[in-house]
Amino acid sequence: MFYTTNNNENKVGSTTEVTENTGTNEENITLTQTELDKRIQSETDKIRTKYSNDIKTLEAKIKELTPVVKSDAEIDFEKRLAALEAKEKKMALLDSLNAAGISHKFSDFLKNDTDMEAFAKVYKSVIDNEVQKRVKTNGYVPNGHKSGESLSKEDFAKMSMNEKERLFSENPELYKSLAKR
């Protein structure tokens, strides 16, 4: 839509001739200056409202995307809260280690969400395997001893010196108790 105006200022109560160009059809509308000003004002108000809404939307988007500046008190509070939560998690981990019979020294190497039952099973099986290995390689495994069988003073007296030496190296406490009698 295209408007052209011709002001006739010679007349009292001036009128403006407006030609509305809509392609092939031309239509002449006669408006007073105040009517024309009202139409112009109406169109500018529509444009101003549209752009004002666009500006408000963009300002809200900028505010949303702009990082929030926190006060020192808020930052301090968040740090203290995070430290408190970390301590609570650490205490829960220590409690679960203690309940599983595992040293608290492992807490530095475990995450707070570790499955303690599974860890305790694996830990104990590894420890048992290592103990068995060491006992087999370094430890004494008695041969020929039967549970409840004891050595009497008479049996000790009948033993040869080599047998007594072997008894002393294998079981010094038994040797001492029999030698005192």
Side-chain angles (χ1 to χ4, degrees):
M1 192 182 291
F2 180 76
Y3 291 109
T4 59
T5 61
N6 290 328
N7 284 340
N8 291 333
E9 295 184 26
N10 296 347
K11 297 181 181 179
V12 177
S14 78
T15 62
T16 304
E17 193 176 301
V18 177
T19 304
E20 189 172 317
N21 225 348
T22 60
T24 57
N25 296 341
E26 285 191 19
E27 189 178 320
N28 288 334
I29 301 173
T30 307
L31 298 172
T32 62
Q33 185 65 39
T34 55
E35 290 173 336
L36 180 63
D37 290 342
K38 285 181 184 179
R39 280 194 176 186
I40 292 173
Q41 183 66 36
S42 171
E43 293 299 317
T44 56
D45 286 346
K46 288 177 186 177
I47 292 172
R48 186 179 301 120
T49 303
K50 178 187 179 296
Y51 284 120
S52 177
N53 288 338
D54 290 347
I55 289 171
K56 286 180 183 178
T57 304
L58 291 174
E59 284 175 344
K61 188 78 164 182
I62 289 171
K63 189 174 183 178
E64 178 184 318
L65 296 176
T66 304
V68 177
V69 178
K70 297 179 181 177
S71 68
D72 291 338
E74 289 174 323
I75 293 170
D76 184 46
F77 175 73
E78 288 177 358
K79 285 180 182 178
R80 292 179 73 192
L81 183 62
L84 183 61
E85 288 174 351
K87 283 182 182 179
E88 285 178 350
K89 289 178 181 178
K90 184 80 165 183
M91 291 303 297
L93 179 64
L94 289 172
D95 288 344
S96 60
L97 282 172
N98 190 30
I102 300 173
S103 173
H104 69 280
K105 293 178 183 177
F106 281 98
S107 66
D108 294 334
F109 304 105
L110 297 174
K111 291 183 179 180
N112 293 330
D113 59 348
T114 302
D115 182 9
M116 289 310 299
E117 290 179 21
F119 177 74
K121 286 178 184 177
V122 170
Y123 171 77
K124 289 179 179 180
S125 69
V126 167
I127 295 298
D128 288 343
N129 289 338
E130 286 300 313
V131 168
Q132 292 301 323
K133 283 181 191 176
R134 288 194 182 181
V135 166
K136 285 180 181 177
T137 59
N138 300 333
Y140 168 74
V141 180
N143 294 332
H145 286 205
K146 295 179 185 169
S147 63
E149 183 180 322
S150 64
L151 195 58
S152 67
K153 178 97 171 149
E154 293 81 30
D155 292 335
F156 181 73
K158 293 178 188 176
M159 291 175 92
S160 69
M161 191 55 117
N162 286 340
E163 291 174 327
K164 288 180 181 180
E165 271 184 48
R166 193 178 67 200
L167 178 64
F168 179 75
S169 64
E170 292 174 359
N171 195 346
E173 288 135 16
L174 179 61
Y175 177 83
K176 289 177 186 176
S177 68
L178 290 173
K180 287 183 182 179
R181 290 184 188 173

